[in-house]
Amino acid sequence: MAFVVPFDGSELAKTALVRAVEFGRVLDERVIAISVIPEGNASYARERGWIDRDAPFDLDAAVGTLHESVAAHAPNAEFRYAVVGRHATSGTIASRIRRMAKEADASMVFVGSENAGHVVSSLSSVGDTVAADDTYDVVIVRNRTPSTIDALDAAAGSRGPKSDYHP
């Protein structure tokens, strides 16, 4: 089993990756960041900061940028990527993410998305499509401020003793 994070380098994807790592530490699960790259689509890659503003499409550069970002935020996470057609739709990208999550035996998928969860079905959101799969649980990350395990532990410790349960 693994925690999977669809990763495009956005701030919410980075936050989702950090959250997956935090959960992974607590639950002893490995974390896999997955990226889907439209082959030859320079404007798509430029918009996401995978290649320089005026550079032609370079798959190695895009993969390198994504991998470096994953390593910077989650040094122990695995990184995997897939290449799809140049004009792949969000549905095609989401389908590839879902397939990769299943191949990774995902128990949870952490989706960084401003839209997923607000609108149950949206044709324009990869996150909504990925979240619709029922073979894994989904954590939707909409808050860009990552939490930390230490902060969670401190909050839990300040609640006082746990009450006893007697049937």
Side-chain angles (χ1 to χ4, degrees):
M1 301 295 256
F3 293 159
V4 170
V5 182
F7 190 82
D8 64 0
S10 67
E11 290 303 311
L12 281 172
K14 292 173 186 174
T15 304
L17 182 61
V18 169
R19 297 260 170 82
V21 168
E22 291 172 344
F23 276 72
R25 282 188 196 126
V26 172
L27 299 174
D28 195 28
E29 291 281 352
R30 64 192 176 117
V31 174
I32 303 170
I34 57 176
S35 298
V36 178
I37 303 168
E39 174 70 41
N41 193 332
S43 63
Y44 188 93
R46 283 187 203 116
E47 287 171 11
R48 285 153 184 80
W50 301 348
I51 60 174
D52 291 334
R53 178 168 286 173
D54 297 322
F57 183 81
D58 180 345
L59 180 60
D60 291 336
V63 170
T65 297
L66 287 162
H67 185 237
E68 287 174 13
S69 186
V70 167
H73 294 87
N76 295 324
E78 292 179 41
F79 173 71
R80 299 179 186 175
Y81 72 94
V83 179
V84 294
R86 177 185 184 119
H87 301 292
T89 65
S90 61
T92 299
I93 292 170
S95 292
R96 184 59 61 92
I97 290 169
R98 289 169 66 175
R99 184 178 333 144
M100 293 174 74
K102 288 177 186 176
E103 290 168 357
D105 195 22
S107 58
M108 294 179 81
V109 175
F110 289 73
V111 178
S113 174
E114 292 177 344
N115 297 330
H118 286 297
V119 179
V120 175
S121 62
S122 170
L123 296 176
S124 64
S125 174
V126 169
D128 288 332
T129 305
V130 172
D133 199 313
D134 64 358
T135 60
Y136 44 75
D137 289 331
V138 177
V139 176
I140 298 171
V141 178
R142 294 187 295 213
N143 183 342
R144 287 176 176 80
T145 308
S147 61
T148 64
I149 294 300
D150 292 339
L152 293 173
D153 288 344
S158 65
R159 291 187 188 133
K162 182 179 174 184
S163 64
D164 291 331
Y165 173 72
H166 298 286

